[in-house]
């Protein structure tokens, strides 16, 4: 099954042992090793993707770039899932959705601009809406729906936040 397609400038550069992979776009999949069953489309998408990443789909500039220890992950949008550590079965859709995450964020769904970005320990969680679940930590099993829902919150285990700034650490300003 050794099917590998590289297209743009330096796409797949230094990528021996790749299997079932498609890299399209300048530097997409660059410096990858042992990437398995992966599709990366967009400028620098999947660049510096860790050796421990398999079954990944990245579409958009920098999508899934520099992500580590991630399996069964989808990142669609500019920087979706970029620079994130540790996680399996993750879906990130939107500009910087699920980007810059640390700690485990397995079985998570982030949809919206910066939804779930910079979060930590958000296993089995859903964040939908612009900045929903952004800068959130230790909130396993949470559901965050709405603009900045649960943004900046900590230790909201198995919680539900629905609406503008719901369960957020952001001040509500009225004019």
């Amino acid at each position: 099954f050794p099917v590998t397609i590289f297209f743009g400038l330096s796409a797949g550069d230094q990528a021996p042992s790749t299997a079932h992979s498609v890299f399209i776009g300048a530097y997409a999949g660059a410096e990858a090793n042992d990437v398995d069953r992966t599709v990366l489309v967009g400028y620098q998408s999947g660049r510096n993707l860790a050796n421990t990443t398999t079954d990944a789909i990245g579409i958009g500039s920098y999508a899934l770039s520099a992500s580590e220890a991630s399996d069964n992950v989808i990142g669609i949008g500019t920087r979706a899932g970029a620079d994130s550590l540790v996680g399996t079965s993750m879906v990130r859709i939107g500009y910087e959705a699920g980007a810059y995450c640390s700690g485990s964020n397995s079985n998570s769904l982030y949809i919206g601009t910066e939804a779930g970005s910079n979060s930590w320990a958000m296993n089995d969680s859903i964040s939908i809406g612009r900045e929903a679940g952004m800068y959130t930590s230790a909130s396993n099993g949470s559901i965050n729906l709405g603009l900045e829902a649960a943004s900046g919150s900590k230790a909201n285990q198995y919680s539900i936040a629905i609406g503008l700034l719901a369960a957020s650490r952001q001040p509500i300003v009225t004019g």
Side-chain angles (χ1 to χ4, degrees), residues 48-139:
N48 297 318
L49 196 61
N51 293 339
T52 53
T53 300
T54 59
D55 297 323
I57 297 173
I59 300 174
S61 297
Y62 302 97
L64 302 182
S65 62
S67 292
E68 297 184 27
S70 301
D71 291 322
N72 307 314
V73 63
I74 297 172
I76 300 174
T78 300
R79 296 192 191 284
D83 297 306
S84 294
L85 305 172
V86 189
T88 60
S89 302
M90 300 177 294
V91 176
R92 285 108 155 72
I93 300 173
Y95 172 77
E96 291 191 354
Y100 318 112
C101 295
S102 60
S104 181
N105 284 287
S106 294
N107 305 311
S108 59
L109 171 67
Y110 302 139
I111 300 175
T113 298
E114 298 181 299
S117 68
N118 294 286
S119 63
W120 175 79
M122 292 271 293
N123 293 307
D124 304 307
S125 294
I126 298 170
S127 291
I128 299 175
R130 185 171 58 110
E131 299 178 11
M134 183 177 179
Y135 296 111
T136 299
S137 62
S139 296

